[in-house]
Amino acid sequence: MQAIMQIFLARNNVQAGPYSLDQLNIMLTSGEVLLDDLIWHDGLDQWQRVGNLTNNQTVYRPTNVNSPQANDSIINNVTVFPEDNVNDAQDGKSVSLDRLYGKPERPKDTSKDAKADMTTNRHHTPHHNVSLNKSTNSKATSSKDKVVGNVVLAPIMSRVLATALNGLLYILAIFPLVMALTKMDVDYTKFQNIQDMDAAYQYSMTLMESLPSSTLMISQVMVFGLFALQLVFITMRGQSLGKLITGIRVVDQTTHRLPSFIKLIGMRTLLLFIIYNLLFSFTSFLGFVIIAIHYYMASKSPENIGWHDKLAKTLVVKADSSQIVKEPKIK
């Protein structure tokens, strides 16, 4: 009689299993197991990405697999929860996938018709961690966190704080210019007439010409330097400086990885920069209203999606280094 294949899974240096092939395919279909998770079973010489074995499909059909024998040298390197009791494993008790992968645990259904928990066969072996080439998210999730797939959505207040920090950095960059303008007799009524924007522009140019050239040069260097630095971090990490400080990042709604250059720079950066420049040129009040509308929409959305996110089809999540790892090309 052929032995049942024992399949082990791992995510963020945490291992679960063994599972049967049928259990794996059920969890793949339901989304409990992700294509970026790692998999090992007898016949594989090392841990591999699930999607690499399934050709990025949600079904696994192994071929040419040897008779499954548990390989202790691979599967015994497993992270366990400190509070877990080894006797629980012997008694058949289990920890759900939600808890194993850092999500708030859902209440268990003890009715007879309840669906069997797929983690019944969780392997408890108190050995040291093994590097599985997966990043570890040091930020533990709480019951208040919103989890979508393998990412934790950024709290609204973290996003507001990131926006405020970006605004503060901009104010610091133009600080020499602001200090120079405070020493001049500026007629602010020139900027309040929305119907005559050309006159406001001409007046602003006159003010600029009245400023010392050294002050203008310092301000221009600081503003363009800040803008260039922001573009570098946004392009490479999906984070403005404000998001970097608050530990959040922009990712694609579908892949949960860095968005394409067009989405990240074209839609979320340059287009928004133009829109808000136009809004604030009319009146500062209008610009702040549109920002408030964005965050209000995000607070009412299940996935914290505001109009910025709808426009670019992105999510703002808690930053994890795995999000900036490029997907392997499908051969």
Side-chain angles (χ1 to χ4, degrees):
M1 181 177 179
Q2 187 176 7
I4 298 175
M5 176 186 293
Q6 290 189 324
I7 299 173
F8 294 85
L9 301 170
R11 183 187 303 171
N12 292 339
N13 288 337
V14 180
Q15 179 183 303
Y19 303 110
S20 68
L21 180 60
D22 288 340
Q23 287 176 322
L24 171 65
N25 285 326
I26 289 172
M27 292 187 290
L28 275 170
T29 303
S30 67
E32 286 183 279
V33 173
L34 306 175
L35 296 179
D36 282 334
D37 289 342
L38 297 182
I39 183 174
W40 181 87
H41 57 72
D42 192 69
L44 299 179
D45 58 354
Q46 61 183 356
W47 290 92
Q48 296 194 33
R49 179 177 173 271
V50 173
N52 291 351
L53 295 185
T54 66
N55 291 322
N56 287 324
Q57 303 299 313
T58 55
V59 61
Y60 181 36
R61 299 186 181 92
T63 56
N64 299 326
V65 177
N66 298 329
S67 176
Q69 298 291 330
N71 188 336
D72 290 340
S73 65
I74 295 179
I75 65 175
N76 280 349
N77 289 318
V78 52
T79 301
V80 298
F81 295 98
E83 67 273 22
D84 284 349
N85 191 327
V86 177
N87 293 329
D88 290 346
Q90 297 171 351
D91 295 339
K93 297 181 181 179
S94 64
V95 177
S96 69
L97 276 177
D98 284 341
R99 181 181 175 193
L100 181 64
Y101 290 150
K103 302 179 184 179
E105 240 184 322
R106 292 169 288 188
K108 294 183 179 180
D109 188 349
T110 57
S111 65
K112 294 182 179 180
D113 295 332
K115 181 180 177 180
D117 187 351
M118 289 303 181
T119 59
T120 322
N121 294 324
R122 180 182 171 205
H123 187 70
H124 285 67
T125 310
H127 291 273
H128 61 278
N129 297 348
V130 61
S131 174
L132 301 177
N133 298 322
K134 297 287 285 183
S135 65
T136 302
N137 190 352
S138 59
K139 299 181 179 178
T141 58
S142 68
S143 58
K144 295 182 180 179
D145 286 327
K146 294 182 179 179
V147 180
V148 177
N150 61 338
V151 296
V152 180
L153 298 180
I156 299 298
M157 289 310 300
S158 294
R159 297 174 61 175
V160 173
L161 178 59
T163 300
L165 288 172
N166 285 328
L168 178 61
L169 290 172
Y170 178 73
I171 291 174
L172 291 176
I174 64 173
F175 187 73
L177 181 61
V178 173
M179 292 301 296
L181 288 173
T182 58
K183 298 177 181 179
M184 300 175 62
D185 186 16
V186 179
D187 184 4
Y188 291 100
T189 60
K190 296 284 188 182
F191 301 101
Q192 296 175 358
N193 187 0
I194 299 178
Q195 304 298 326
D196 194 0
M197 295 303 298
D198 185 61
Y201 176 77
Q202 294 299 329
Y203 182 65
S204 64
M205 290 296 99
T206 302
L207 290 175
M208 293 298 105
E209 291 172 359
S210 303
L211 293 172
S213 58
S214 59
T215 301
L216 283 175
M217 181 176 296
I218 292 173
S219 295
Q220 288 173 350
V221 169
M222 292 181 68
V223 170
F224 283 109
L226 175 63
F227 188 67
L229 195 60
Q230 293 277 36
L231 283 179
V232 168
F233 276 93
I234 291 172
T235 303
M236 303 299 295
R237 302 182 59 86
Q239 296 171 296
S240 63
L241 293 177
K243 286 184 172 63
L244 180 67
I245 295 170
T246 54
I248 61 179
R249 170 179 288 121
V250 175
V251 297
D252 187 275
Q253 286 184 11
T254 303
T255 64
H256 295 170
R257 298 294 181 90
L258 281 188
S260 65
F261 183 84
I262 293 177
K263 287 184 178 181
L264 201 55
I265 300 300
M267 303 296 288
R268 278 199 68 106
T269 304
L270 297 181
L271 182 58
L272 290 180
F273 180 78
I274 294 171
I275 290 174
Y276 280 109
N277 259 340
L278 291 174
L279 291 172
F280 279 102
S281 66
F282 283 107
T283 169
S284 297
F285 175 76
L286 183 59
F288 285 117
V289 167
I290 301 302
I291 292 176
I293 290 174
H294 166 68
Y295 287 121
Y296 177 78
M297 289 176 60
S299 67
K300 297 299 181 181
S301 165
E303 296 184 344
N304 291 1
I305 293 177
W307 72 267
H308 296 176
D309 311 298
K310 284 183 177 292
L311 185 68
K313 295 182 179 180
T314 54
L315 295 174
V316 182
V317 302
K318 288 187 177 182
D320 185 293
S321 58
S322 65
Q323 297 153 359
I324 58 178
V325 176
K326 293 184 178 180
E327 289 277 7
K329 294 183 179 179
I330 302 175
K331 297 182 180 180

